[in-house]
Amino acid sequence: MSQTELKSIKYRTILLFGAPGSGKGTQGKILGTIPSLYHFACGDAFRNLRIEDRMGRLFIEYSSKGQLVPDEPTIELWARNIRASSLDGKFNPTHDVLVLDGIPRNAHQAEMLKDTLDVRAVFFLHCADMAKMIERLQRRALRENRLDDANLEVIKKRLETYESETKQVLDFYGPEIVHTIDATQSPLDVLREILNTIAQIKW
Ligand code: ADP
């Protein structure tokens, strides 16, 4: 597919949304194994960068403090990854549905992606139990060797960033397409709810 063709397509998209530790990544990985769903996790894209890379350094600088990486480089990284996946055939923009996890992460990013994404559903994995999320993140720190999950101060800062910046994304897309799911359920029950809704969307 040519660059011009790629630019003119609005990607059919569903968003996985929720606080750190709400289980977006777990669901995203499973959904990404389903044919014609293409999963992109923004945090994974950042973690795959090399530290010598300008963006890799930016990521360490911000994520180690529990802050969001600035919007322009973040969207640039997203576009670069999606372009590469389209060109190498992993993601077919005309047939596949994009499952985004961790992006857009504030209202400005949502605005920047407005002309590129055709968002049909936002799955809001809601967990009111802060202690439970902190516990999940601390368990993940050991399993996945993630520095930002290991430090309690950084975890708290990330949860604050989520409340003050990320939650606005829900208002941006509006209640008609936001599906709230109880994230304290088992991964299987969360998955069942997501799949039931996806199955009803008329693409
Ligand atoms: P979590 O949802 O558990 O915080 P992620 O892997 O999604 O984990 O993100 C880890 C870090 O990567 C974030 O704290 C942030 O610094 C950075 N990051 C990921 N996605 C974005 C984004 N869309 N915009 C800005 N920063 C991001």
Side-chain angles (χ1 to χ4, degrees), residues 15 17 100 102-106 109-111 113 117 166 169 173:
L15 302 185
F17 187 88
L100 293 183
I103 186 166
R105 218 167 170 112
N106 59 29
Q109 291 183 10
E111 186 65 40
L113 291 169
L117 304 181
T166 306
V169 171
Y173 291 107

Side-chain angles (χ1 to χ4, degrees), residues 155-170:
I155 290 180
K156 286 190 175 149
K157 178 68 196 154
R158 274 157 66 206
L159 291 167
E160 267 172 48
T161 305
Y162 167 75
E163 287 294 331
S164 61
E165 298 178 52
T166 306
K167 264 198 154 171
Q168 313 158 353
V169 171
L170 291 176

